[in-house]
Amino acid sequence: MNAYVSRVIEYVKKRHADEPEFVQTVEEVFSAISPVIDAHPEYEKADLLTRMVEPERMFTFRVVWCDDAGQWHTNIGYRCQFNGAIGPYKGGLRFQANVCPSIIKFLGFEQTFKNALTGLPMGGGKGGSDFDPAGKSEAEIMRFCQSYMTALYRYIGPDVDVPAGDMGVGGREIGYLYGQYRRLKGVWENGVLTGKGFTYGGSKTRPEATGYGAIYYLQEVLRHEGEDIRGKTIACAGFGNVTWGICKKAYQLGAKVVTLSGPDGYIYDAEGVSSSEEKIEYLVEMRNSGRNKVKDYADKFGVPFYPGEKPWGVKADIVMPSAMQNDVHMEHAQQIAANGVKYYIEVANMPTTNDALKFLMSQPGMIVAPSKAVNAGGVAVSGLEMSQNSERLSWSAEEVDEKLKVIMKTIHDMSVEAAEEYGLGYNLVAGANIAGFKKVATAMMEQGCF
Ligand code: GLU
């Protein structure tokens, strides 16, 4: 590894010793782009990498809200404006009890390179709160969102920073957040948030975009290998918005999603979750119930449920970890390899621990695709939503879907080219990191040292 890269990784390990997720993502990205640093000694002179691991700005704020029983609560709000070199900061808000600086920073760092890959002018940002939406009433969610936006609205805007959804933040939350933004600012600036409802500027296909994009990317990989998606079995995780989108597209294309997971375990549906619209739409019901239990699916459709287990021991052609970070550890990676899986397609942000990822990438014949490329369709359609809002127009679902397909193909092809340029062969992980990094690095260098 390049000596400067190693030094910066060591520096990050020391400086962020209490932020394991952030250290992990920096290590992954910087190891992959080491050959670029070899080829560009000017980056060391500008100390570009140390600059890149320091967010341009990151702040916390107080979010106070009242529950239905009249009890007051205080949560921590976060926004990390990580890198604005290629566009306004852009990235989701995550509401989950485990949200902390390390998680927000890792997501903001990833987002910077992911957004660069989309080819759209978006910088990297992320935010959220340690608020746990599970079991909260509609009115509590609304009050929380209003309080959150009251603290944040001065620091965002269509040309400044454009939040969106992530775990725990969907269309409903974006609606309440936007309503409060509009009330406070007294202007129609709907480009300030993406993932909005269709009646006030949301882009068609945004709810499906991450899942659809992941399948379009998978199709490019399969095409490269001379294979077809029809009839393939897919092991997925989670049962949220992303997995729902994957199931919908898999249904249309004749592929079979056989597993879902939740905090309580996983389910196995031999016929396929993607075998009927009723099953797919039940995922929405499960999510809206706030119960956060995948066992509900097993009870409803009479399929096996495995409490406390993860689905990675199941035989499938394709594995798509689509739930959350660090879901696949070394022992799972070994099971996946032993099952002869050929396609390991990351979907959630950093779903694989670094040692497990290295192990999977070293398996002969296994193709590994990185999440920052595979899940970029979500934020890409957010970028399209920003364009539609700024031009006060609305594209049809077909138009957006067409653009999404082109973007996913371009991300795949750009990654292939970037890896080939450095003599790395068909290495999608290295290629995506290199392609995203090069764009951000070039913009930062051209804009001077700040
Ligand atoms: N949270 C999503 C992501 O990880 C979407 C971000 C957005 O649409 O801005 O990319």
Side-chain angles (χ1 to χ4, degrees), residues 217 220-221 408-416 426 428:
Y217 185 98
E220 294 306 319
V221 176
M408 297 315 295
K409 179 173 170 16
T410 308
I411 292 175
H412 172 266
D413 296 352
M414 264 169 51
S415 304
V416 174
Y426 190 61
L428 298 168

Side-chain angles (χ1 to χ4, degrees), residues 61 63 75-78 92-99 104 107 126-134 140-149 152 164-170 172-174 176-177:
F61 44 92
V63 188
N75 284 96
I76 307 167
Y78 295 87
L93 299 173
R94 178 175 291 192
F95 292 171
Q96 205 171 47
N98 68 358
V99 163
I104 296 296
L107 290 166
K126 204 81 190 191
S129 174
D130 58 356
F131 172 76
D132 181 4
E140 288 169 339
I141 299 274
M142 188 192 320
R143 285 195 295 273
F144 179 81
C145 289
Q146 289 171 340
S147 184
Y148 189 92
M149 186 51 87
L152 186 64
D166 197 84
M167 290 177 190
V169 178
R172 174 181 64 175
E173 288 74 16
I174 292 293
Y176 295 147
L177 288 164

Side-chain angles (χ1 to χ4, degrees), residues 90-92 111 114 126 164-166 194 206 349 378-379 382:
K90 180 84 197 86
Q111 197 84 44
K114 176 192 336 194
K126 204 81 190 191
D166 197 84
T194 61
R206 178 63 188 90
N349 293 311
V379 74
S382 277

Side-chain angles (χ1 to χ4, degrees), residues 368-407:
V368 178
S371 53
K372 68 169 64 63
V374 179
N375 76 27
V379 74
V381 172
S382 277
L384 301 178
E385 184 168 327
M386 288 163 70
S387 302
Q388 294 171 74
N389 295 160
S390 71
E391 292 182 42
R392 300 263 193 270
L393 52 75
S394 172
W395 295 321
S396 69
E398 291 71 28
E399 282 173 292
V400 176
D401 196 37
E402 229 11 82
K403 292 184 202 297
L404 173 62
K405 271 186 202 151
V406 172
I407 289 172

